[in-house]
Amino acid sequence: MLDRRAVLALLFLIAASLPAEAAGGKLVVYTSQPNTDAQQTVDAFKAKHPDVDISFVRDGTPRVLAKLRAEIAAGQPQADVLLIADSVTMEGLKKEGLLLPYKTEATAPYPAGTHDPDGAWFGTKLITTGIVYNTKAPMKPASWSDLLKPEAKGQVQIPTPVTSGAAMIHTVTLTANLPAGWGYYKDLKANGAVATGANGDVLRAVSGGEKLYGFIVDFMPIREKAKGAPIEFVFPAEGVSAVTEPVAILKSSKNPEAAKAFVDFLLSAEGQALTAKQGYVPALPSAPLPAGYPARSAIKVMPFDPAKALAEEAANKKKFQDIFAE
């Protein structure tokens, strides 16, 4: 007899094979995806829904939100859909009443915690943060605690959560799940770790040999290793944090039906296959992983509560700044 998850997966496959409800009209997506990824996403949706005149505006999440807020203040919001970096930002927009709740069967094959339970936003992928190390390093780390060893003294660089949303989610996840809590960051600082810049700065420091170890999002070192960079990426034994690049429909959308079709496409098996093709871990558990990643069973994602992280954001930034004296 099939268990509940198998039944849901079967229903999902049946639904995916049915003709999609016709959607049309203009659809504007505001996104923080890299430009190439955004264009591929829009093109794939357009192929599925040729009657939708879809376009996108791409920038970093803070600038995307600044543009959106300016338009709302002027009474002329242009975006129908947001596809941005992190769920904490989405929680803030949900709290302000700016997102349109949407209940969709497309969420059926996903585990609890992937999407907002009220249907305000939906995770589309897992961009995890683990450990990168230079292949010349004397120690191959397998655990977060390995970065506290003498071999790593003065050799660790981490992105600062003061300016990086992904780094803040990582900080909150580690402090909530590691036994030492904030004590882990205090020990990192005592072992000479530096917190500066973003993930790209960590990549340059470790691949160039300026530092031997760092915290970093997974796809950057996996892609650079494939190009020949002398680095390795590790999914630590305790688990990793993850940002989910959520998608949401704005309450001010002029075309909510097309916006719903866009959400359903991203969550579909076809949309998740595109995510893997772009080099990211799909949020859909049954979707294959891209080249360079271990089996999904080897990637343990630690729990994270975006609503709690939003409520404690200012306090967490202060705790981090107090430790690293930024």
Side-chain angles (χ1 to χ4, degrees), residues 70-277:
E71 292 173 352
I72 291 175
Q76 296 181 328
Q78 301 299 310
D80 297 287
V81 174
L82 282 180
L83 177 60
I84 57 176
D86 66 272
S87 55
V88 177
T89 300
M90 287 296 195
E91 277 294 323
L93 296 172
K94 174 187 174 184
K95 190 174 181 180
E96 294 178 57
L98 296 177
L99 304 183
L100 180 70
Y102 173 44
K103 295 293 185 181
T104 171
E105 290 299 316
T107 60
Y110 289 81
T114 307
H115 314 302
D116 174 54
D118 298 321
W121 52 262
F122 307 88
T124 65
K125 58 180 58 113
L126 301 177
I127 300 176
T128 73
T129 291
I131 299 172
V132 61
Y133 69 92
N134 191 292
T135 53
K136 294 182 179 178
M139 170 193 65
K140 296 180 180 179
S143 162
W144 296 110
S145 62
D146 286 340
L147 300 185
L148 306 179
K149 291 180 176 178
E151 297 96 315
K153 188 172 181 60
Q155 293 296 330
V156 177
Q157 181 169 330
I158 64 176
T160 172
V162 177
T163 55
S164 168
M168 176 53 76
I169 287 175
H170 181 67
T171 301
V172 172
T173 303
L174 279 194
T175 55
N177 287 278
L178 295 184
W182 281 98
Y184 176 73
Y185 277 85
K186 292 177 181 176
D187 292 340
L188 270 182
K189 174 65 175 176
N191 205 35
V194 295
T196 183
N199 283 278
D201 298 293
V202 173
L203 179 64
R204 284 187 285 274
V206 176
S207 62
E210 179 185 343
K211 296 290 182 181
L212 295 178
Y213 308 97
F215 293 177
I216 195 169
V217 291
D218 53 24
F219 68 91
M220 285 185 173
I222 288 175
R223 289 177 182 178
E224 291 306 305
K225 178 189 173 185
K227 297 175 184 175
I231 52 177
E232 293 284 351
F233 181 76
V234 175
F235 293 87
E238 301 95 329
V240 292
S241 66
V243 295
T244 60
E245 196 170 84
V247 62
I249 303 170
L250 287 161
K251 193 170 284 184
S252 56
S253 170
K254 300 178 182 68
N255 194 349
E257 292 309 311
K260 291 174 182 176
F262 185 77
V263 169
D264 287 348
F265 171 74
L266 292 183
L267 301 183
S268 71
E270 186 177 354
Q272 290 293 290
L274 174 62
T275 296
K277 185 179 179 181

